Amino acid sequence: MSDLVQMPLQAEIPPPLLTIEGLKVHYPVRHSWRGTTLAVKAVDGIDLSLRPGECLGLVGESGCGKSSVAQALLGLVPATAGRISLDGHDITGRGRVDALQLARSAQMVFQDPMSSLNPRQTIREILSGPLRLHGMGSRDERDERVAEMLRLVGMKPDAADRRPHEFSGGQRQRLCIARALIVRPKLVICDEPVSALDVSIRAQIINLLLDLKTELGIALLLISHDLGVVEHMSDRIAVMYLGRIVEEGGWHEIFTQPRHPYTQALISAIPEPMRRDRLPTRLTGEMPSPLSPPQGCAFHPRCPVAIAACRSGDAPAFTRAGPDHRARCHLIDPGTSHA
Ligand code: SF4
């Protein structure tokens, strides 16, 4: 047998499409009577990466900073610190030309499909808008691409001549997905893509996004407050609390061996009785203000298993819980499988 045949076959791991290093997004707030300026630390030093064709679920309660991450990615808010790299290019603080180029590589699907579609335009005008913006194709080619995208998202070609109000919420979200994909982006950021939709049609949109991810090989950054939504779509999951990632791992690790009490509480909130029994952690109280985060572990005021060390000092550093699994909690012993 030749050396070539004996060599182990190694799957080539592609380099990350998106890398976020030490990202901070702080919003200055003027204190009215003291006259001082404070900072709302919406995002306070996060690291994330996303490979081509992968879906990363970014999950956490409303106000945890996950939407600020998306906005910083798209250049809609400035990064206070850190570095964002997309497809090998540093896109932190890019200029207008770079921003336009970025818009081709990364597109966004928003929570409310009605407010993100111009009611005065036909679907053809809406879908071909990004193509016109990027100078892509002749008029006939753009029309062809619109018809192709409508078919891809399960809509009939005659939808092109109608207006947004003529469609249901689920159909409008399909149209938003078509608009996001029409310029063939490498990354699509979905910010709560099903939370404004009827429960009965959420599964259809989730399945559509999954099919498109497989068919087109796009990477998805899925932002949601609902771990139940993230569960069905994500290859990896990052759990965010008060501006920081508190646990990150593969789908299997997060759902079978959640190590951070906050992740455990989010999983126990998924309405499936067997899960609730297995993970009895309940989430109580409100998330503290990012203007004055608690000392020590920011989760300690709500944590049912907090110890004295959690209430002072610095926030816990990441502890590795497995090859692709890490969490910030003092109670994690890297040698064990449960917190
Ligand atoms: Fe709870 Fe302490 Fe772990 Fe924070 S560090 S999650 S307060 S046990």
Side-chain angles (χ1 to χ4, degrees), residues 162-188:
R162 295 161 66 191
R163 287 173 204 276
H165 71 270
E166 298 177 57
F167 297 95
S168 68
Q171 289 171 323
R172 286 196 289 260
Q173 196 58 307
R174 284 174 189 270
L175 294 168
C176 289
I177 293 167
R179 181 181 55 184
L181 295 176
I182 203 159
V183 291
R184 297 192 176 97
K186 294 177 178 170
L187 167 68
V188 176

Side-chain angles (χ1 to χ4, degrees), residues 280-324:
T281 313
R282 294 281 181 276
L283 203 52
T284 55
E286 298 290 317
M287 192 161 59
S289 164
L291 255 179
S292 52
Q295 276 261 301
C297 173
F299 187 57
H300 85 252
R302 305 170 77 189
C303 181
V305 290
I307 56 175
C310 306
R311 300 185 181 94
S312 59
D314 292 333
F318 271 119
T319 301
R320 192 156 287 285
D324 185 30

Side-chain angles (χ1 to χ4, degrees), residues 9-90:
L9 286 174
Q10 283 189 341
E12 225 175 85
I13 300 173
L17 172 69
L18 172 72
T19 310
I20 299 174
E21 295 166 294
L23 178 67
K24 293 186 181 183
V25 180
H26 293 180
Y27 301 109
V29 178
R30 189 108 181 119
H31 198 293
S32 53
W33 52 273
R34 274 197 209 145
T36 51
T37 302
L38 304 169
V40 175
K41 297 177 179 175
V43 181
D44 202 21
I46 69 162
D47 301 315
L48 285 174
S49 70
L50 181 57
R51 296 191 185 282
E54 185 180 49
C55 178
L56 173 68
L58 183 59
V59 71
E61 290 166 284
S62 174
C64 73
K66 54 194 189 305
S67 291
S68 290
V69 174
Q71 288 170 348
L73 276 178
L74 292 171
L76 302 175
V77 297
T80 310
R83 185 173 183 272
I84 303 169
S85 157
L86 182 67
D87 210 10
H89 303 285
D90 185 349

Side-chain angles (χ1 to χ4, degrees), residues 39 72 76 95 112 155 178 184 206 252 266 275 278 300 306 310:
L76 302 175
D112 181 1
M155 305 279 292
R184 297 192 176 97
I206 288 172
H252 187 260
L266 291 180
R275 271 214 178 107
R278 200 160 55 82
H300 85 252
C310 306

Side-chain angles (χ1 to χ4, degrees), residues 94-105 133-134:
R94 62 201 158 266
R96 195 174 165 277
V97 176
D98 285 348
L100 198 62
Q101 185 56 41
L102 165 72
R104 253 194 86 174
S105 302
L133 182 70
H134 294 289

